[in-house]
Amino acid sequence: MLKIWGRGNSTNVKKVLWCAGELGLPFEHVNAGGAFGVVNDSEYRAMNPNGLVPCIKDGDFVLWESNAIVRYLAAKYSNGTFFPTDPTVRADADKWMDWATSSIAAPFRDVFWNVVRLPADQRNDAAFRKGLEDCTRLLSIADKALAGQPFLSGAQFGMGDIPLGCFAYSWFGMPIERPALPYLKAWYDRLAARPAYQTAVMIPLT
């Protein structure tokens, strides 16, 4: 059985839990990282020397890095639906996966931590405002793309929607001023109607 390590409130872990849920895979989930510990245990470090989450074990195969895990699960278990067989379509989905990680993750962290995780006396308003400005600019790129297609993956939901979809729940759930990005919001509403998204991603923000 597939085994997934990682605390459920981690954006990167949510990607994997959501993907597994969409694929209908039976799996064992082990909370790890943060207050749960585990990641510094020698057994875990033998699997993931980075000491980070998520990490999976599928049979004898061990894999870390959230986007790589999503791609692996989609390629192995989706019968070409979440992991397109057409290289051009697949590259378009890949693009959005890596974009969410390389472009959105850092400014989003500055927003999320200064709204949700840090106590009021430790918050950095300048970092929050810069993060909000950058996220707004970047998310407008996704909004423009979604004006012409229902999902970042194309005509159908797929792996390309998963990384940004995990950020989207927090983006629309935080008490912040957001610009009107109607196509992004409509896409998020489509995700929010998916049972696997509700289970893995739409949990209290912590």
Side-chain angles (χ1 to χ4, degrees), residues 5-7 13 30-55:
W5 285 265
R7 54 187 172 82
V13 176
V30 179
N31 276 305
F36 296 101
V38 177
V39 295
N40 289 319
D41 294 350
S42 59
E43 295 86 353
Y44 187 85
R45 288 293 180 123
M47 294 189 300
N48 185 352
N50 301 288
L52 299 173
V53 293
C55 182

Side-chain angles (χ1 to χ4, degrees), residues 4-143:
I4 303 171
W5 285 265
R7 54 187 172 82
N9 67 342
S10 160
T11 297
N12 286 333
V13 176
K14 286 179 180 181
K15 296 178 194 178
V16 178
L17 295 173
W18 178 19
C19 184
E22 289 283 356
L23 295 170
L25 300 177
F27 63 88
E28 178 186 355
H29 176 214
V30 179
N31 276 305
F36 296 101
V38 177
V39 295
N40 289 319
D41 294 350
S42 59
E43 295 86 353
Y44 187 85
R45 288 293 180 123
M47 294 189 300
N48 185 352
N50 301 288
L52 299 173
V53 293
C55 182
I56 68 164
K57 188 173 184 181
D58 187 24
D60 293 327
F61 179 59
V62 172
L63 184 64
W64 36 267
E65 287 298 323
S66 58
N67 284 359
I69 294 171
V70 169
R71 290 183 179 109
Y72 165 75
L73 294 177
K76 184 172 181 179
Y77 294 109
S78 76
N79 295 317
T81 53
F82 292 176
F83 189 85
T85 55
D86 184 324
T88 303
V89 178
R90 186 168 67 246
D92 256 344
D94 269 335
K95 170 187 69 183
W96 288 110
M97 293 182 73
D98 292 342
W99 176 83
T101 301
S102 64
S103 298
I104 290 287
F108 185 85
R109 182 185 186 280
D110 286 336
V111 176
F112 186 80
W113 277 70
N114 282 291
V115 172
V116 176
R117 290 207 171 146
L118 290 174
D121 62 346
Q122 295 181 25
R123 292 175 184 171
N124 184 325
D125 187 62
F128 162 75
R129 294 194 177 280
K130 179 64 165 57
L132 187 62
E133 177 185 340
D134 288 346
C135 284
T136 297
R137 172 178 55 81
L138 291 164
L139 290 172
S140 70
I141 296 172
D143 182 73

Side-chain angles (χ1 to χ4, degrees), residues 142-149 183:
D143 182 73
K144 184 176 180 180
L146 289 163
Q149 59 192 54
Y183 300 106

